[in-house]
Amino acid sequence: MSTYLPTLKQLQYLVALQEHGHFGKAAESCFVTQSTLSAGIRELESLLGLMLVERTRRVVRFTPLGNKMVTKAHRILREAEELAEMARSAGKPLADDLRMSVIPTIAPFLLPKLLPALRKKYPDLKLYLREEASAAAVEALHHGQVDCVLLALPFPAGDVEKAHLFNDALYVAFPLDDPRDPPESIEPELIDENRLLLLVDGHCLKDHALAACNRPELRATAMMLGTSLHTLVQMVDNGLGLTIIPEMAVAAGLLNGTDVQARPLNADHATREIALIWRTNSPRREEFELLAESLRELHTT
């Protein structure tokens, strides 16, 4: 029986290579040189006596065994992270490193207000942020790459716990004088399905907007063009259509410098729930609940 055991570093290299499909990008994500990462994986293969990765000039292809190893490596790395979390949770709360993913329809509108106040309240907290779409953020959470996620619900997040922060209303944004005398709120029936512009797939705001309107034809006819809310607003400002944006974006000045107007969407469930989620049974649960309480309080001040 072999006494050799893979190191956590080698498993990190293997997971990064599978995630990025490129040695250079994988090395960059691990903050090492490409030669260091490549050597680490070769050493792992040599000591196991097995090939895990097929290498060509253009393609990195994992063998069937390599894919199985990556699946197991994700679990091992996550459990190793939980050991470190257990040690951190025994000390002063929110006084260490914390990695948080935030979705793009929240980050630029909420964080500039919250982060300075959070730093003042918890000066020893080192908060490392990743901005990514909901699916990628949830995947990173379950793979142990982040500790918690600030996102909008509903969204299928798997086996997680959550802390509700606040509800964020949805608004309809449309060009100036179109309509000329807009009502105080917009009924879903008033939305022209041929002019509705939404974010591309992967952004949960698109699904929240369609669900709130509850008009199946919108899913088929709306144009999924925008890669960000800023892009959508610019298209609306140029008369290309209308869109649906969250209240926090309006409050943060997204429409400043444009002629775009916005009115609340008058429909059942015309809100999204802003929440903090983390892995079920995380040893840092009390810290996350404390962080959620602080975010909730700071948002209302």
Side-chain angles (χ1 to χ4, degrees):
M1 178 177 170
S2 172
T3 59
Y4 173 74
L5 294 175
T7 67
L8 292 179
K9 186 65 69 177
Q10 289 169 338
L11 295 180
Q12 286 174 339
Y13 293 166
L14 192 68
V15 165
L17 183 59
Q18 201 262 0
E19 180 181 346
H20 294 281
H22 186 277
F23 277 93
K25 293 178 181 177
E28 184 178 342
S29 73
C30 293
F31 304 101
V32 297
T33 64
Q34 183 171 331
S35 59
T36 296
L37 182 134
S38 180
I41 293 177
R42 283 193 182 279
E43 181 183 6
L44 176 61
E45 290 177 316
S46 175
L47 292 168
L48 290 174
L50 299 165
M51 178 180 288
L52 304 176
V53 181
E54 297 176 10
R55 301 163 176 82
T56 68
R57 288 186 177 182
R58 295 184 178 180
V59 178
V60 174
R61 183 179 295 110
F62 276 70
T63 65
L65 179 62
N67 283 321
K68 290 181 180 179
M69 287 277 292
V70 168
T71 301
K72 181 71 74 172
H74 275 301
R75 190 176 306 123
I76 293 170
L77 291 172
R78 188 176 71 185
E79 291 177 353
E81 284 288 342
E82 289 175 355
L83 284 175
E85 288 178 358
M86 195 178 300
R88 285 194 291 264
S89 65
K92 183 180 175 182
L94 298 178
D96 209 323
D97 295 357
L98 194 149
R99 302 162 305 165
M100 182 170 71
S101 283
V102 189
I103 62 174
T105 57
I106 293 178
F109 313 115
L110 194 61
L111 295 184
K113 173 187 175 183
L114 295 186
L115 289 182
L118 197 62
R119 279 197 300 270
K120 185 176 180 180
K121 189 171 185 178
Y122 299 106
D124 296 326
L125 174 65
K126 296 183 179 67
L127 185 59
Y128 297 97
L129 299 171
R130 287 169 50 141
E131 184 176 327
E132 52 195 347
S134 301
V138 169
E139 183 178 5
L141 177 67
H142 288 298
H143 286 166
Q145 296 167 338
V146 296
D147 304 307
C148 57
V149 179
L150 185 59
L151 85 170
L153 300 175
F155 185 81
D159 191 14
V160 300
E161 296 182 52
K162 74 161 187 174
H164 170 83
L165 300 184
F166 57 91
N167 290 327
D168 189 29
L170 299 179
Y171 277 58
V172 179
F174 47 89
L176 181 66
D177 294 332
D178 185 14
R180 179 154 298 178
D181 296 309
E184 290 301 311
S185 61
I186 307 294
E187 304 285 338
E189 293 74 20
L190 295 177
I191 296 175
D192 184 347
E193 64 268 22
N194 296 311
R195 301 182 61 218
L196 181 59
L197 307 172
L198 295 174
L199 292 170
V200 295
D201 289 340
H203 292 273
C204 59
L205 180 62
K206 179 202 75 173
D207 296 314
H208 296 155
L210 290 172
C213 291
N214 195 25
R215 289 176 54 191
E217 71 273 18
L218 290 181
R219 190 173 295 275
T221 57
M223 291 181 282
M224 283 63 163
L225 298 173
T227 55
S228 72
L229 290 179
H230 292 84
T231 302
L232 284 179
V233 167
Q234 289 303 312
M235 287 192 282
V236 172
D237 197 30
N238 281 277
L240 298 179
L242 54 90
T243 191
I244 296 176
I245 60 178
E247 182 180 20
M248 70 165 65
V250 178
L254 177 63
L255 305 183
N256 291 353
T258 74
D259 290 326
V260 176
Q261 301 180 80
R263 295 289 187 275
L265 177 62
N266 185 12
D268 293 337
H269 313 298
T271 62
R272 56 180 191 162
E273 178 188 5
I274 308 302
L276 186 72
I277 67 169
W278 58 88
R279 292 183 295 275
T280 299
N281 298 323
S282 170
R284 300 183 75 180
R285 176 182 180 179
E286 291 185 4
E287 278 194 288
F288 299 139
E289 290 178 338
L290 181 61
L291 175 62
E293 181 181 349
S294 298
L295 293 174
R296 198 180 301 118
E297 291 174 353
L298 292 172
H299 172 69
T300 58
T301 58

